[in-house]
Amino acid sequence: MNDTIKSIATLLKDLDGIMIYPHVNMDGDALGSATAICLALRQLGKKAYIMINEPVPKNLDFLEIGCTTEDDSVLEEIQLSLMLDCNDINRIPGRESAFERGKLKGCIDHHQNKSSTIRFDFIRSEPKSAATGEIIYNLIKALGVEISLDMANCIFTAITTDTGNFQHINTTRRSHDIVGHLYNIEGFNSKQISALIYERKSKEALKMESMVLSNLNYYEGGKIAVGRITQDLLNEMNCTMDEADGIVQQVMSIDGVEVGCLLKQSELNVRASLRGRSYANMQAVASKFGGGGHILAAGCTFTTLDVDEAERTIVPELIKSVNRAG
């Protein structure tokens, strides 16, 4: 089943009380896509909110424009629970019961892995789209809603972050075409948004980045590099976890590294951010541990392991991914 953009737009026009669910550890595509469609639905007079249970990352705080909530009771009735940029219940931990309140369940996503836990009433899956934001752009158009400056900023954020500022292999002509259309919107300034996303690191965050990169563990002759962000390091550097965003991309800038892994330890779990350079399948690795993503960019969460155990557990799978494909 893969519903059309037109049929989804028609359905949305008949619904009210829509709760939107981006995946845990929100990135620019998840939050940007969610905020863009939330704004579009509100422009149609719908009651719509984005359900989160974690702080918005600092580099995405400009997307915090009155759409997010941590209280699902803000809507007396949820006619639709809409999952964005993910497609399985394990990608929205802590919000499962809220999601189940929706009379209808929908999904808009661009990942290849399919849900094994939810029977959606509709789903739009486009693995060839560089970002869910591309799908949302077309859906907003199908709704007949004029794209506002705030929506444009959200869509640009979604596309630029999931394409690595248009450098990743998933970037397509459509990615550039959609962004090209955003320049027609009065006030749109891609440089301004890019600066908000990429150019606001604190001195402490830069020191932390340097420490992580100086203490990487290498495997398979340097093809695999694993870094760590621990609570002790965050406390020592007076940083927050969202300030670690982007470090895994720095790992991938090292010559000879095919696979980069950044382990991020919180009080509750250890999250692994995985990146591949050209051939190793990170989605396959992440899926073994209940995670997901793309072939060259994925992630998973370990809820019962400390950071040492998480590294010992995931490295053998990373080795397999490098040797199997290489």
Side-chain angles (χ1 to χ4, degrees):
M1 175 181 70
N2 199 13
D3 296 271
T4 66
I5 293 289
K6 182 178 179 180
S7 67
I8 294 173
T10 300
L11 176 63
L12 290 177
K13 289 178 181 179
D14 291 333
L15 297 176
D16 199 5
I18 300 166
M19 193 70 82
I20 303 162
Y21 293 81
H23 58 71
V24 66
N25 197 21
M26 293 174 288
D27 57 13
D29 190 21
L31 185 58
S33 297
T35 307
I37 191 60
C38 185
L39 292 172
L41 292 168
R42 288 182 176 184
Q43 192 164 310
L44 290 173
K46 311 292 184 182
K47 295 187 290 291
Y49 289 90
I50 302 167
M51 182 70 185
I52 64 173
N53 61 349
E54 60 184 339
V56 170
K58 181 179 178 181
N59 70 323
L60 301 176
D61 58 9
F62 62 94
L63 298 181
E64 184 75 287
I65 46 181
C67 290
T68 61
T69 182
E70 296 188 19
D71 180 11
D72 69 311
S73 66
V74 70
L75 292 174
E76 293 184 7
E77 179 184 48
I78 300 177
Q79 293 189 352
L80 171 65
S81 290
L82 179 60
M83 193 174 285
L84 280 188
D85 203 37
C86 58
N87 55 37
D88 215 322
I89 202 71
N90 62 10
R91 299 291 285 144
I92 55 168
R95 293 170 286 165
E96 299 92 338
S97 60
F99 184 84
E100 291 300 328
R101 281 189 57 203
K103 293 183 178 179
L104 296 176
K105 314 245 181 349
C107 175
I108 299 174
D109 188 25
H110 73 132
H111 297 96
Q112 291 183 337
N113 48 306
K114 297 180 180 180
S115 175
S116 60
T117 59
I118 304 173
R119 184 176 180 84
F120 290 108
D121 294 284
F122 70 82
I123 185 168
R124 180 66 186 177
S125 177
E126 295 185 11
K128 291 185 179 180
S129 288
T132 297
E134 294 185 5
I135 311 172
I136 293 300
Y137 172 85
N138 288 325
L139 177 57
I140 292 173
K141 289 288 204 179
L143 286 169
V145 172
E146 183 177 349
I147 294 179
S148 66
L149 177 58
D150 282 337
M151 291 180 211
N153 291 340
C154 291
I155 293 166
F156 177 77
T157 299
I159 296 174
T160 188
T161 52
D162 251 30
T163 59
N165 203 17
F166 306 96
Q167 297 180 58
H168 291 346
I169 194 171
N170 63 332
T171 309
T172 65
R173 175 176 177 171
R174 186 172 80 159
S175 308
H176 290 288
D177 285 344
I178 291 174
V179 170
H181 293 159
L182 300 181
Y183 282 92
N184 296 324
I185 297 168
E186 185 176 356
F188 176 70
N189 186 324
S190 63
K191 170 57 181 174
Q192 187 177 67
I193 300 303
S194 293
L196 289 171
I197 297 170
Y198 302 114
E199 299 174 8
R200 290 194 291 165
K201 291 183 178 180
S202 67
K203 295 186 291 293
E204 292 77 14
L206 288 172
K207 290 180 182 177
M208 178 178 68
E209 181 178 295
S210 176
M211 291 187 69
V212 173
L213 295 175
S214 297
N215 291 281
L216 295 173
N217 293 325
Y218 292 94
Y219 302 88
E220 293 300 286
K223 291 182 180 180
I224 299 168
V226 180
R228 301 173 170 210
I229 303 287
T230 64
Q231 287 297 301
D232 287 343
L233 179 60
L234 292 176
N235 292 334
E236 179 184 349
M237 294 291 101
N238 194 28
C239 291
T240 58
M241 188 62 79
D242 61 89
E243 292 180 283
D245 289 346
I247 292 181
V248 71
Q249 289 305 125
Q250 292 297 316
V251 173
M252 295 308 298
S253 70
I254 300 171
D255 188 29
V257 170
E258 170 59 29
V259 168
C261 172
L262 183 64
L263 298 171
K264 297 180 282 188
Q265 177 198 49
S266 73
E267 295 179 358
L268 300 175
N269 54 47
V270 176
R271 293 175 179 170
S273 294
L274 308 175
R275 297 293 184 272
R277 184 182 298 277
S278 58
Y279 62 84
N281 191 331
M282 296 298 95
Q283 178 190 327
V285 173
S287 66
K288 289 181 179 292
F289 305 105
H294 307 282
I295 291 177
L296 297 181
C300 58
T301 300
F302 299 97
T303 57
T304 61
L305 306 181
D306 62 28
V307 69
D308 292 326
E309 293 168 331
E311 182 165 355
R312 288 196 296 269
T313 299
I314 201 168
V315 164
E317 296 300 329
L318 296 176
I319 291 173
K320 289 178 185 177
S321 73
V322 167
N323 291 335
R324 183 180 298 120

